[in-house]
């Protein structure tokens, strides 16, 4: 404050203090909730501490404010956790940091001095990725997983056993030689980049909270009171150390981790033993270069003294082991200018603000767009066109804006205003009504529905997409082109394209970029999808709230499109609460939101016109109940590893199980097939060592008849 304020009356200054106090308390409570309940902190620990110090100082000056309600009475403790507590057998500590090469050299020298190991004597040190997830302790007794706990304050963590048991990668029973009677296996739970991106896209679509990064998403997914939510999130684990153990299966770090692997625990495939500091530093440089390609977040390298007798002698200093250190990567952030905030219109009309940036390199990748999620997020961070912003590649995938550098704000920058009309069709854009809070939802939607070209385009892209009708070679770009040139406006137009094109004065083959061969291929791919299974068709229609699972539930219940339409028509005629309406509502997995969406969709004549035109071109196949399957993989044990490109690993597993295969988490002699996607690690190596048949994703799909 530069101007000296007018002296105020005591009453006025008390009123001011009260206002400041209320603001501070609200702010602190908001950050508490973000940190403890939503795993989405917005400020650093230091900034949080500063807020609390401000509150303490204010209450010291105005003691009447320090009521029992004040957060100053909580000693920084989290609000009572809904999870039970578990005391760790051995405390879960953290790691000291090394920020540069000298720190690493100093670490190795210090260890040598402590152990009295000469500079030329051997000292093996392991190097492995530092996984950016959340640490977990898994207590196995007689090989059975009996407890899982988060780190908590190091001595006591939260009991997340039920949640952890839903993670398919984590064995409920350790198998093999040398499993101790008791062992606390420790490691990191995380979400891969693709799974993180898919989760956030689904959350944003539903108008639910988007996670700032994979770490927060993993923590939020694990700490769910409803474990069925955790079960749906493809959480993963790398086991890398241990706490209490009745015995150990080896004398070195690497031997114990190899035993973990042999017992069925996932371990990181990039662990390496280094014989010199140079080798450690080389490992660091190489890993940093590969960082973006790993498919999961890492924030550095962990070095550990390999011999366990040395580890024991070295012990701990304050809260970190002397035998290990974390060599951190430089944060992947960069500063750039935000040119404009564009609005994208999604399939269901959701308007999503996107930051258009002056291109900048962040962690080796050029970034020119960043997601802004929704208008509330922009308001909270007060992001304006023209601002200089700090950009971060969270999860190495979706760049986001961390904050604005306010000192650099041009005088002309004005606060962002979310448009009240759709930029594509001019229709009014309204915030959804959130039934729970009774107020506006975070998502603003174009109400133009069927007249909005942006929504129409997105619906077409959705219709042809892989999990819907799946037309090969008809991707987003082609749909854009066909739509913009008036060739395809509705799904039916896709199927009449070839005929119309043959009769056209300007056939596609005369245009740049359309060879006859590729056109023939495209038309053949379209023809190949003239018969569409009911569930895919329903999903492809892009009806709000009818995702893949719901489409399947409806298909299972009604078997044919005609029956489903008849049921919807009856519900439309009968209205909400009628028997016909309730009949749909009573289907397993279907709730009112879906019935309302169905009724809205089939009750709109324009939709039924489009649908009827489409039905002249395609046949919707009745839903086939999965038979007691007999397939090429029935009774076989299969293991998936690496990144699959055509379906997610979870889907692949579900598909294999439907076909009667047993999906295992680790490779053994009993494994019949290992399906290896890209970047497959130790499971692939194991399979090769054991002579197990390894299939590519394509080979697998052709084996199960889905190629
Ligand atoms: S070993 C005594 N290895 O980093 C602690 N920790 O900053 C021994 N972390 O709390 C931990 N990757 O949650 C170890 N490969 C790795 C790790 C790793 C990630 C986490 C762990 C730890 C934190 C310390």
């Amino acid at each position: 404050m530069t101007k000296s304020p007018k002296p105020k009356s005591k009453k006025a200054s008390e009123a001011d203090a009260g206002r400041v106090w209320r603001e501070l308390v609200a702010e602190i409570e908001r950050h508490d909730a973000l940190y403890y309940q939503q795993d989405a902190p917005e400020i650093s620990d230091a900034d949080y501490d500063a807020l609390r110090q401000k509150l303490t100082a204010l209450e010291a000056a105005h003691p009447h404010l320090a009521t029992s309600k004040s957060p100053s009475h909580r000693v920084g403790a989290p609000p009572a956790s809904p999870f039970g507590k578990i005391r760790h057998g051995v405390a879960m500590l953290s790691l000291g940091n090394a920020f540069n090469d000298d720190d690493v050299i100093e670490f190795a020298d210090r260890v040598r001095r402590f152990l009295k190991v000469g500079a030329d004597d051997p000292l093996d040190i392991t190097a492995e990725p530092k996984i950016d997830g959340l640490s977990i302790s898994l207590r196995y007794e007689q090989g059975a997983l009996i407890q899982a706990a988060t780190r908590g304050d190091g001595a006591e963590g939260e009991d997340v056993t039920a949640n952890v048991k839903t993670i398919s990668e984590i064995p409920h029973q350790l198998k093999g030689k040398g499993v101790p009677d008791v062992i606390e296996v420790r490691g990191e739970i995380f979400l891969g980049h693709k799974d993180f991106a898919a989760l956030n896209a689904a959350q944003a679509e539903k108008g639910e909270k988007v996670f700032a990064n994979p770490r927060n998403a993993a923590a939020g997914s694990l700490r769910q009171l409803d474990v069925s939510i955790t079960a749906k999130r493809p959480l993963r684990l790398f086991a890398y150390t241990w706490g209490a153990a009745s015995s150990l299966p080896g004398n070195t770090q690497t031997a114990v981790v190899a035993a973990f692997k042999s017992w069925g625990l996932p371990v990181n495939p990039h662990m390496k033993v280094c014989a010199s500091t140079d080798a450690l530093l080389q490992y660091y440089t190489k890993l940093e270069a590969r960082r973006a390609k790993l498919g999961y977040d890492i924030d550095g390298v962990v070095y550990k003294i390999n011999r366990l007798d040395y580890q024991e002698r070295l012990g701990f200093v304050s809260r970190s082991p002397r035998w290990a250190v974390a060599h951190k990567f430089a944060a992947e952030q960069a500063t750039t200018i935000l040119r404009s905030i564009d609005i994208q219109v999604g399939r269901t009309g959701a308007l999503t603000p996107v930051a258009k940036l002056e291109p900048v390199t962040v962690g080796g990748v050029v970034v020119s767009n960043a997601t802004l999620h929704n208008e509330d997020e922009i308001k909270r961070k007060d992001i304006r066109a023209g601002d200089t912003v700090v950009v971060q590649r969270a999860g190495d995938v979706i760049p986001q804006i961390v904050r604005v550098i306010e000192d650099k704000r041009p005088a002309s920058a004005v606060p962002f205003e979310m448009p009240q009309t759709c930029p594509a069709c001019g229709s009014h854009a309204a915030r959804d009504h959130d039934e729970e809070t009774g107020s506006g939802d975070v998502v603003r939607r174009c109400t133009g529905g069927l007249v909005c070209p942006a929504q129409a385009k997105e619906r077409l892209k959705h219709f042809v997409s892989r999990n819907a009708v799946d037309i090969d070679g008809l991707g987003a770009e082609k749909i854009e082109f066909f739509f913009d040139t008036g060739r395809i406006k509705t799904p039916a137009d896709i199927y009449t394209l070839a005929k119309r094109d043959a009769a056209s004065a300007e056939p596609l083959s005369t245009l740049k970029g359309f060879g006859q061969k590729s056109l023939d291929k495209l038309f053949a791919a379209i023809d190949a999808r003239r018969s569409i299974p009911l569930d895919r068709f329903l999903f492809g229609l892009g009806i709000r709230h009818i995702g893949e699972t719901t489409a399947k539930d409806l298909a299972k219940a009604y078997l044919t499109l005609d029956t489903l339409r008849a049921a919807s028509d009856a519900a439309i005629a009968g209205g909400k609460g009628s028997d016909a309406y309730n009949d749909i509502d009573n289907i397993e997995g279907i709730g009112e939101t879906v019935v309302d969406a169905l009724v809205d969709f089939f009750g709109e004549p324009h939709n039924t016109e489009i649908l009827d035109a489409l039905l002249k071109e395609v046949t919707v196949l009745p839903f086939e109940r999965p038979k007691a399957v007999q397939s090429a993989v029935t009774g076989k044990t299969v293991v998936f590893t690496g990144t699959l490109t055509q379906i997610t690993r979870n889907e692949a597993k579900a598909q294999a199980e439907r076909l009667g295969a047993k999906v295992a988490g680790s490779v053994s002699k009993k494994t019949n097939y290992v399906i290896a996607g890209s970047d497959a690690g130790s499971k692939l190596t194991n399979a090769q060592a054991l002579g197990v048949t390894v299939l590519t994703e394509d080979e697998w799909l052709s084996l199960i008849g889905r190629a």
Side-chain angles (χ1 to χ4, degrees):
M1 236 180 270
T2 45
K3 285 184 203 147
S4 56
K6 265 198 312 203
K8 277 187 177 172
S9 69
K10 187 159 185 263
K11 210 165 152 197
S13 95
E14 283 296 322
D16 275 357
R19 183 181 48 75
V20 174
W21 183 85
R22 280 192 300 280
E23 282 169 9
L24 260 177
V25 168
E27 185 73 359
I28 289 173
E29 285 176 346
R30 191 169 78 81
H31 288 300
D32 279 346
L34 284 168
Y35 185 90
Y36 292 115
Q37 283 149 20
Q38 296 166 38
D39 297 300
E42 276 169 16
I43 55 172
S44 66
D45 290 355
D47 288 347
Y48 176 81
D49 289 344
L51 281 179
R52 291 189 70 105
Q53 272 159 18
K54 236 189 206 170
L55 182 71
T56 314
L58 187 67
E59 289 179 357
H62 305 272
H64 71 281
L65 293 173
T67 62
S68 58
K69 280 202 196 118
S70 169
S72 60
H73 295 295
R74 286 200 308 270
V75 212
S81 157
F83 294 91
K85 287 263 182 280
I86 288 184
R87 181 153 279 277
H88 303 299
V90 165
M92 286 180 86
L93 303 176
S94 68
L95 292 168
N97 289 322
F99 293 105
N100 51 44
D101 292 2
D102 285 347
D103 290 349
V104 177
I105 294 166
E106 170 53 23
F107 161 73
D109 285 351
R110 205 167 48 232
V111 167
R112 284 181 184 276
R113 281 196 304 272
F114 190 99
L115 294 172
K116 300 201 168 50
V117 169
D120 298 325
D121 294 330
L123 179 71
D124 281 349
I125 303 182
T126 61
E128 67 195 75
K130 182 170 185 320
I131 315 298
D132 196 6
L134 69 150
S135 41
I136 192 87
S137 184
L138 309 169
R139 189 177 174 92
Y140 286 91
E141 291 185 7
Q142 265 68 47
L145 175 61
I146 59 144
Q147 264 182 349
T150 62
R151 177 157 80 167
D153 63 5
E156 250 183 8
E158 285 170 323
D159 182 350
V160 286
T161 313
N163 308 68
V164 161
K165 282 191 169 167
T166 68
I167 302 176
S168 58
E169 278 202 359
I170 299 184
H172 291 193
Q173 182 69 42
L174 299 180
K175 301 214 170 87
K177 278 194 211 125
V179 177
D181 288 345
V182 175
I183 183 160
E184 287 175 349
V185 173
R186 291 182 178 169
E188 204 82 354
I189 295 217
F190 64 98
L191 262 180
H193 290 160
K194 282 192 185 150
D195 292 326
F196 166 68
L199 172 63
N200 258 1
Q203 293 284 103
E205 171 68 18
K206 283 188 277 181
E208 284 175 17
K209 185 185 89 170
V210 286
F211 295 98
N213 55 47
R215 201 208 76 81
N216 287 340
S221 299
L222 183 71
R223 297 174 67 255
Q224 288 284 341
L225 287 179
D226 177 356
V227 298
S228 71
I229 299 178
T230 308
K232 285 190 199 128
R233 309 273 172 89
L235 292 170
R236 298 181 55 195
L237 169 84
F238 283 132
Y240 48 65
T241 192
W242 56 94
S246 54
S247 64
L248 283 175
N251 299 323
T252 56
Q253 184 73 32
T254 35
V256 177
V257 171
F260 281 179
K261 186 165 111 179
S262 75
W263 299 337
L265 288 158
V267 300
N268 190 281
H270 302 290
M271 183 171 182
K272 198 177 162 205
V273 181
C274 298
S276 67
T277 323
D278 277 351
L280 293 179
L281 298 176
Q282 261 176 34
Y283 177 96
Y284 176 90
T285 311
K286 272 196 190 152
L287 192 68
E288 189 165 32
R290 297 187 57 186
R291 182 178 183 186
K293 294 211 179 90
L294 290 177
Y296 47 85
D297 265 6
I298 62 172
D299 56 349
V301 175
V302 181
Y303 306 128
K304 297 172 187 165
I305 303 302
N306 199 24
R307 276 176 56 166
L308 299 188
D309 58 337
Y310 282 173
Q311 285 193 7
E312 195 156 329
R313 279 172 57 197
L314 285 157
F316 292 82
V317 56
S318 92
R319 299 184 52 76
S320 348
R322 251 193 223 98
W323 45 265
V325 74
H327 189 181
K328 292 291 203 63
F329 291 139
E332 291 194 295
Q333 287 192 343
T335 303
T336 188
I337 293 177
L338 188 155
R339 286 181 183 155
S340 63
I341 297 178
D342 283 8
I343 305 293
Q344 276 175 4
V345 185
R347 170 169 60 87
T348 57
L351 306 192
T352 308
V354 177
K356 296 288 166 185
L357 305 167
E358 209 63 70
V360 65
T361 306
V362 190
V365 172
V366 179
V367 168
S368 46
N369 294 321
T371 171
L372 291 168
H373 301 303
N374 55 54
E375 57 191 284
D376 289 0
E377 171 100 353
I378 301 180
K379 203 175 202 178
R380 198 165 46 69
K381 293 184 179 161
D382 189 15
I383 299 169
R384 308 181 183 189
D387 267 342
T388 299
V389 291
V390 177
V391 182
Q392 174 172 296
R393 277 206 311 136
D396 297 337
V397 272
I398 306 177
Q400 50 181 214
I401 291 178
V402 185
R403 65 190 164 87
V404 168
I405 301 178
E406 275 184 36
D407 297 352
K408 296 202 175 165
R409 171 168 287 164
S412 59
V414 288
F416 173 73
E417 291 268 1
M418 189 74 176
Q420 310 287 310
T421 53
C422 170
C425 71
S427 301
H428 176 57
R431 285 179 85 143
D432 287 354
H433 185 76
D434 184 326
E435 281 176 12
E436 264 170 44
T437 61
S439 59
D441 190 276
V442 288
V443 181
R444 189 176 287 278
R445 252 173 240 281
C446 159
T447 54
L450 298 162
V451 304
C452 177
Q455 288 189 49
K457 250 192 239 183
E458 294 307 313
R459 277 198 300 270
L460 283 166
K461 288 181 197 168
H462 174 76
F463 181 79
V464 301
S465 67
R466 193 181 299 148
N467 293 350
V469 177
D470 188 22
I471 301 180
D472 217 21
L474 190 52
E477 251 175 63
K478 285 227 173 71
I479 290 283
E480 292 267 346
F481 173 79
F482 289 143
F483 189 93
D484 292 342
T485 57
R487 287 177 167 85
I488 294 181
K489 293 285 184 190
T490 72
D493 297 344
I494 297 171
Y495 294 94
T496 57
L497 179 65
K499 226 192 222 164
R500 286 183 288 118
D501 193 53
S504 147
E506 199 191 23
L508 287 165
S509 58
T510 61
L511 302 185
K512 232 175 115 198
F514 286 97
Q516 191 56 50
K517 250 194 183 160
S518 72
L519 276 172
D520 289 346
K521 227 171 134 186
L522 174 65
F523 294 147
I526 293 174
D527 279 339
R529 293 291 183 265
R530 283 189 187 266
S531 299
I532 309 162
L534 176 59
D535 54 330
R536 282 177 169 262
F537 184 81
L538 267 181
F539 174 59
L541 290 180
I543 305 171
R544 254 191 101 189
H545 303 296
I546 303 198
E548 271 185 278
T549 316
T550 311
K552 230 172 234 139
D553 289 341
L554 287 169
K556 234 187 261 173
Y558 289 104
L559 303 177
T560 69
L561 183 63
D562 286 345
T563 351
L564 171 66
R565 271 181 90 169
S568 303
D569 287 345
I572 294 168
K576 213 173 173 125
S578 65
D579 287 351
Y581 182 100
N582 292 344
D583 280 348
I584 312 182
D585 192 13
N586 289 339
I587 296 169
E588 178 78 24
I590 306 294
E592 271 191 22
T593 326
V594 170
V595 192
D596 290 344
L598 265 182
V599 162
D600 280 354
F601 183 85
F602 287 112
E604 163 61 54
H606 190 89
N607 285 337
T608 43
E609 266 166 42
I610 285 182
L611 183 61
D612 290 333
L614 175 59
L615 290 172
K616 291 212 172 84
E617 302 298 328
V618 301
T619 311
V620 180
L621 303 173
F623 184 76
E624 276 189 47
R625 287 183 193 285
K627 300 189 190 79
V629 281
Q630 201 54 44
S631 75
V633 297
T634 306
K636 305 275 193 236
T637 302
V638 304
V639 173
F640 290 94
T641 179
T643 314
L644 303 181
T645 55
Q646 305 186 33
I647 42 177
T648 66
R649 183 123 52 116
N650 275 353
E651 258 182 86
K653 284 181 182 172
Q655 196 174 52
E657 278 163 0
R658 275 199 304 277
L659 293 170
K662 179 169 176 276
V663 181
S666 61
V667 180
S668 74
K669 278 196 215 123
K670 287 194 195 136
T671 312
N672 298 97
Y673 300 116
V674 168
I675 298 92
S678 56
D679 288 327
S682 59
K683 289 182 194 168
L684 175 57
T685 330
N686 274 355
Q688 284 157 344
L690 293 168
V692 173
T693 309
V694 176
L695 302 178
T696 62
E697 186 177 351
D698 286 340
E699 286 167 342
W700 163 254
L701 291 175
S702 85
L703 178 68
I704 62 169
R706 288 284 320 216

